[in-house]
Amino acid sequence: MDWLFEVISLAALAGVFAVVIAHWTELPAQVPRHFGASGLPNRWGSKSGLWILPITSAIVYIGVTAASRYQTLINIPFSIERNSPEVRRLLLSMSIVLKAVMLLVFAYSAWANVNTALGRSEGLGRQFLPVSLALIWIPLIFYLLRLRHYRRS
């Protein structure tokens, strides 16, 4: 399954760049810069600020990929035996799944941002915040519960 989530991550990362590049010439000078909890834009700014999404997505991809390779970078709220093959596998899977989820959230954000700027939609949608939080917290809790079995005494 890890390879599938890695492919999803790369596709989402490419999607963030693609949506900005594909619509760049048709975007108005002012685009949404921030969205409130309701999913509606509450601050507008220059379209050049839209590059924050692809650049941040690339940084997240590189950072989480590095953390999955150098697992001491992954902070766990309890002490575990990091040299155990099972723990290493769980940490790798956790980082790959969370990376895919975060990049999908960024990809949707870029798509919604562009479509809002073009007048095709009215924001992220009111379900964006609870759904994106659930998509991040559910796998995180799942993996932390599994890692709990490898606690150091």
Side-chain angles (χ1 to χ4, degrees), residues 20 24 27-33 44-56 113 117:
V20 173
W24 187 255
L27 285 169
Q30 296 290 303
V31 299
R33 292 291 301 257
W44 294 71
S46 165
K47 77 177 187 178
S48 63
L50 196 56
W51 285 106
I52 290 172
L53 286 169
I55 291 168
T56 303
N113 202 314

Side-chain angles (χ1 to χ4, degrees), residues 51-150:
W51 285 106
I52 290 172
L53 286 169
I55 291 168
T56 303
S57 297
I59 290 169
V60 166
Y61 182 85
I62 292 166
V64 177
T65 300
S68 69
R69 304 296 181 248
Y70 304 101
Q71 294 181 348
T72 56
L73 297 174
I74 300 172
N75 190 12
I76 303 295
F78 45 84
S79 182
I80 54 175
E81 182 52 58
R82 289 182 181 264
N83 292 326
S84 162
E86 296 86 9
V87 169
R88 294 189 59 73
R89 184 183 50 74
L90 282 171
L91 289 173
L92 177 63
S93 290
M94 178 179 78
S95 61
I96 291 171
V97 169
L98 289 173
K99 176 173 56 177
V101 168
M102 288 186 291
L103 288 168
L104 285 171
V105 168
F106 278 118
Y108 176 76
S109 297
W111 176 86
N113 202 314
V114 165
N115 281 294
T116 300
L118 295 173
R120 298 178 188 158
S121 68
E122 293 186 13
L124 298 170
R126 99 178 320 160
Q127 297 303 316
F128 174 76
L129 185 60
V131 169
S132 61
L133 287 173
L135 286 173
I136 292 169
W137 279 99
I138 290 171
L140 184 60
I141 291 168
F142 170 80
Y143 281 103
L144 287 176
L145 288 174
R146 294 202 49 203
L147 284 165
R148 186 180 58 163
H149 297 292
Y150 299 98

